[in-house]
Amino acid sequence: MAKRRKKHHEEHIDETWLIPYADMLTLLLALFIVLFAVSSVDAERYEQMMITFNETFQGGRGLLEQPVPSPVNSGMEEVRQGVSGEEGRAVSTERRELEELKRQIDLYIEENDLSSELQTSLSADGLLLTILDQALFHSGSAEIREDALNVVEQISDLLISDPPRRIVVAGHTDNVPIQNAKYRSNWDLSADRALNFTKILLENEELDPSLLSATGYSEYQPVASNDTPEGRERNRRVEVLILPNESLSER
């Protein structure tokens, strides 16, 4: 009888390994849940989950009770991405509107056969309309020619926008010195040309005077070499810069 009981005892399968195995599976499950929680930016739920795991699996204080860094950076990153997205959409919208304005001005230039005297270009600074002086002034004069007044008035209509934009008018000359009864230098000539052009724009009541400004650069911002007649002709110009909406520059 004693031998039979001993044999029966030896045939019994040892199942004690199931306990650590079950613990390991439980901890793995906890790990996956923690990893899932980490992927969320909800800091409050994350900390509550950590406390629950501590109490359940550690029976008190343990490694999981260590202070959990609040995912502030992740949250701020999302905020920054949101702002950046809004700015990107605003910039994209403004770009499309300036492109449409450029298209309208280019169409006016083409319809009136003014391509040799008026050009447009679009950059990050805004939409730039360049008008060679021969389209507006007599040589050495800052008075808008009578036959050019209609061109300036048409341009003023094209500059109307909603919301309105800032407009900067700049006068430029070549490097040939000027000194006559009215103008002592190219500084005076370039500034007066910009100012007289702006005065015509201001006759359009739909343009906000507070958003217009005029300045003169004399010969000091050339776009071509002054060594040739063609280069000097390009440098004698009036530039009209239409800036992006002010709301974008304030961001």
Side-chain angles (χ1 to χ4, degrees), residues 96-112:
R96 287 195 299 271
E97 291 179 356
L98 288 177
E99 287 175 347
E100 174 60 22
L101 178 56
K102 182 180 186 301
R103 188 192 67 79
Q104 294 175 13
I105 296 177
D106 287 343
L107 181 61
Y108 169 78
I109 292 172
E110 180 181 355
E111 290 177 345
N112 292 273

Side-chain angles (χ1 to χ4, degrees), residues 15 26 31 48 96 107 110 140-141 158 185 194 201 218 221 231:
E15 297 179 349
T26 304
L31 175 61
Q48 290 177 350
R96 287 195 299 271
L107 181 61
E110 180 181 355
S141 172
L158 293 170
S185 70
L201 297 183
S218 186
Q221 290 193 6

Side-chain angles (χ1 to χ4, degrees), residues 79-216:
V79 172
R80 285 194 295 270
Q81 290 175 357
V83 172
S84 176
E86 292 175 2
E87 287 184 348
R89 287 189 293 272
V91 170
S92 178
T93 299
E94 182 65 14
R95 177 80 179 189
R96 287 195 299 271
E97 291 179 356
L98 288 177
E99 287 175 347
E100 174 60 22
L101 178 56
K102 182 180 186 301
R103 188 192 67 79
Q104 294 175 13
I105 296 177
D106 287 343
L107 181 61
Y108 169 78
I109 292 172
E110 180 181 355
E111 290 177 345
N112 292 273
D113 195 24
L114 296 171
S115 58
S116 63
E117 299 169 330
L118 279 70
Q119 294 93 34
T120 63
S121 61
L122 186 59
S123 68
D125 294 329
L127 174 58
L128 182 67
L129 169 63
T130 301
I131 311 169
L132 298 185
D133 74 330
Q134 63 190 28
L136 301 172
F137 311 102
H138 292 295
S139 177
S141 172
E143 298 299 323
I144 305 285
R145 298 199 319 262
E146 288 292 331
D147 60 329
L149 288 175
N150 182 61
V151 173
V152 183
E153 291 170 356
Q154 292 291 326
I155 290 174
S156 73
D157 289 335
L158 293 170
L159 297 179
I160 298 170
S161 62
D162 183 23
R165 296 179 175 87
R166 289 190 175 276
I167 299 171
V168 179
V169 179
H172 302 265
T173 68
D174 57 26
N175 67 344
V176 177
I178 184 173
Q179 188 170 2
N180 55 30
K182 190 168 185 180
Y183 301 108
R184 295 177 300 175
S185 70
N186 283 329
W187 282 109
D188 298 332
L189 179 62
S190 65
D192 262 13
R193 284 183 169 181
L195 182 59
N196 289 338
F197 187 94
T198 304
K199 287 178 179 178
I200 305 299
L201 297 183
L202 289 173
E203 293 179 3
N204 190 328
E205 296 180 353
E206 295 189 59
L207 293 177
D208 187 349
S210 67
L211 299 179
L212 270 68
S213 61
T215 187

Side-chain angles (χ1 to χ4, degrees), residues 1-43:
M1 290 295 293
K3 290 182 179 180
R4 284 198 299 271
R5 282 197 301 269
K6 182 177 182 181
K7 183 178 181 182
H8 177 74
H9 178 71
E10 290 175 350
E11 292 176 353
H12 181 71
I13 299 175
D14 187 2
E15 297 179 349
T16 56
W17 61 272
L18 287 174
I19 297 175
Y21 178 71
D23 289 342
M24 182 180 66
L25 290 179
T26 304
L27 290 174
L28 283 175
L29 175 62
L31 175 61
F32 289 130
I33 295 175
V34 170
L35 292 175
F36 176 78
V38 170
S39 66
S40 172
V41 296
D42 191 336

